[in-house]
Amino acid sequence: MAKPGKVGLERILSASKYSYQGLRAQWKHEAAFRQEAFLFLISLPFAIWLGDSGLERAVLIFSVGMVLIVETFNSSVEAVVDRISHEHHELSGRAKDLGSAAVMLALVLAAIVWLVILLG
């Protein structure tokens, strides 16, 4: 059974506050996120300029935006693993490596999307 909590507008405001706190922590503690956010901001005008249609522009922007989302998940996995222990453990290393692999796959996918749209 779910625990009682906030509902309606109060829940939305609380969730927004927590999301903002998460983004601030991500910005403060994760250099990779800052670099990828910079990539996203640089890619925005290029996506608008280079996309031939609204759909192409949206796909170009979305592909780079997904990198930020995947990086956020990766950072959350790393934070939980580090919270549990800083000792080396095979499963902890695997969890961190998998998160890193997810970010790499998102970056490769974004690059492929940009190449297909721009060269197509």
Side-chain angles (χ1 to χ4, degrees):
M1 183 164 211
K3 79 175 189 179
K6 298 174 183 173
V7 295
L9 183 59
E10 187 179 13
R11 188 190 75 70
I12 292 169
L13 292 174
S14 290
S16 297
K17 179 181 123 187
Y18 300 140
S19 297
Y20 175 73
Q21 289 173 344
L23 287 171
R24 281 191 61 197
Q26 180 84 326
W27 185 263
K28 180 179 179 182
H29 299 287
E30 300 295 335
F33 180 80
R34 292 189 299 272
Q35 293 167 344
E36 291 154 357
F38 181 71
L39 172 67
F40 180 78
L41 292 174
I42 294 297
S43 70
L44 275 176
F46 284 106
I48 293 167
W49 180 50
L50 297 171
D52 287 335
S53 68
L55 180 61
E56 282 190 359
R57 290 181 197 104
V59 170
L60 290 170
I61 293 167
F62 182 80
S63 67
V64 181
M66 282 302 298
V67 173
L68 293 174
I69 293 168
V70 174
E71 182 64 52
T72 301
F73 281 124
N74 179 44
S75 295
S76 68
V77 168
E78 289 182 352
V80 169
V81 168
D82 289 345
R83 164 64 173 89
I84 293 168
S85 175
H86 285 288
E87 291 179 25
H88 177 74
H89 189 280
E90 179 185 347
L91 293 176
S92 297
R94 186 184 313 163
K96 287 185 169 192
D97 291 347
L98 290 168
S100 179
V103 173
M104 182 197 65
L105 291 171
L107 284 164
V108 168
L109 181 61
I112 290 169
V113 166
W114 278 72
L115 286 171
V116 167
I117 288 177
L118 296 178
L119 299 177

